[in-house]
Amino acid sequence: NAGVTQTPKFRILKIGQSMTLQCTQDMNHNYMYWYRQDPGMGLKLIYYSVGAGITDKGEVPNGYNVSRSTTEDFPLRLELAAPSQTSVYFCASRSTRNTEAFFGQGTRLTVV
Amino acid sequence: DQQVKQNSPSLSVQEGRISILNCDYTNSMFDYFLWYKKYPAEGPTFLISISSIKDKNEDGRFTVFLNKSAKHLSLHIVPSQPGDSAVYFCAASAGGGTSYGKLTFGQGTILTVHP
């Protein structure tokens, strides 16, 4: 059981470039989330989804976009990378019944 | 506005002793609280949780206490082991089913357990 899988694990982007962080889960969870963690800070919610075709903004959505075409996949898109987006990004999923969220291993992104 | 606060950035404990990690919150709508543990280069992993209808929940060496009037919760680890050394995050959610499991995290506390 792979759980939540994120790719890539590391990435360096130049300012203005774009990229997609991939996230897939094999637990058939309806709820999925993207968080970012800055140094010395807690995780902050970027976007979340309660099912295929349904997404909504979290606390810090500016500069990001998401889509949820299938239950398994929840990619996060950065269109114009900025240094402020240097962070570690975590994808998570949860069933509608349980309250425990399962996290991926994270993507460390540096924008230079 | 930091709705969940962990005021101790770090904690150092001797193996076998008790570790107490603290967390304060300001949002009265929070009704479910969780503790996550995080090792370097890994994602957070769920440790233990507590509903606002309880004041204590225990799972093996880990116990979480909730004081709703003080808006304070704590995680006790007894006895502490070197493998417990990690960053511990307190997290909270509000509104039951309508929150869709969205979590608000504290800043984390680095726990170091010395052999």
Side-chain angles (χ1 to χ4, degrees), chain B residues 58-106:
Chain B
E58 195 170 353
D59 184 1
R61 297 186 296 114
F62 303 92
T63 303
V64 56
F65 295 92
L66 176 61
N67 182 334
K68 287 189 293 293
S69 61
K71 293 190 176 67
H72 176 83
L73 63 156
S74 60
L75 174 68
H76 292 211
I77 306 174
V78 183
S80 301
Q81 299 173 353
D84 296 329
S85 297
V87 180
Y88 289 77
F89 289 100
C90 171
S93 67
T98 62
S99 74
Y100 303 117
K102 294 179 289 181
L103 296 175
T104 301
F105 282 85

Side-chain angles (χ1 to χ4, degrees), chain A residues 37 90, chain B residues 36-45 85-89:
Chain A
Q37 185 194 6
F90 292 101
Chain B
Y36 278 85
K37 176 180 180 180
K38 185 183 178 306
Y39 292 117
E42 294 185 9
T45 55
S85 297
V87 180
Y88 289 77
F89 289 100

Side-chain angles (χ1 to χ4, degrees), chain A residues 10-14 17 19 108-112:
Chain A
F10 304 94
R11 183 73 185 266
I12 298 175
L13 275 184
K14 293 185 178 178
Q17 285 185 321
M19 77 163 293
R108 182 175 294 276
L109 176 66
T110 302
V111 181
V112 296

Side-chain angles (χ1 to χ4, degrees), chain A residues 12-80:
Chain A
I12 298 175
L13 275 184
K14 293 185 178 178
I15 295 171
Q17 285 185 321
S18 62
M19 77 163 293
T20 299
L21 282 68
Q22 301 291 347
C23 175
T24 187
Q25 51 94 6
D26 61 0
M27 297 173 282
N28 201 33
H29 287 167
N30 283 329
Y31 297 169
M32 294 189 75
Y33 315 87
W34 275 105
Y35 290 90
R36 61 177 284 175
Q37 185 194 6
D38 298 327
M41 304 293 289
L43 285 71
K44 292 188 183 298
L45 182 64
I46 305 171
Y47 269 95
Y48 68 101
S49 169
V50 299
I54 307 170
T55 62
D56 205 350
K57 296 177 181 178
E59 185 182 356
V60 289
N62 291 344
Y64 307 95
N65 278 300
V66 294
S67 60
R68 184 95 181 270
S69 57
T70 66
T71 299
E72 295 76 20
D73 300 306
F74 190 40
L76 177 71
R77 178 85 178 160
L78 284 72
E79 289 294 350
L80 289 170

Side-chain angles (χ1 to χ4, degrees), chain A residues 35-45 59 90 103, chain B residues 1-9 21-26 30 32-38 44 73 87-93 103-110:
Chain A
Y35 290 90
R36 61 177 284 175
Q37 185 194 6
D38 298 327
M41 304 293 289
L43 285 71
K44 292 188 183 298
L45 182 64
E59 185 182 356
F90 292 101
F103 283 80
Chain B
D1 177 31
Q2 190 79 21
Q3 297 187 64
V4 178
K5 294 181 183 180
Q6 295 175 253
N7 292 317
S8 298
L21 295 94
N22 294 303
C23 178
D24 298 296
Y25 63 95
T26 57
F30 288 146
Y32 200 82
F33 303 89
L34 306 90
W35 285 93
Y36 278 85
K37 176 180 180 180
K38 185 183 178 306
L73 63 156
V87 180
Y88 289 77
F89 289 100
C90 171
S93 67
L103 296 175
T104 301
F105 282 85
Q107 310 95 306
T109 296
I110 301 170

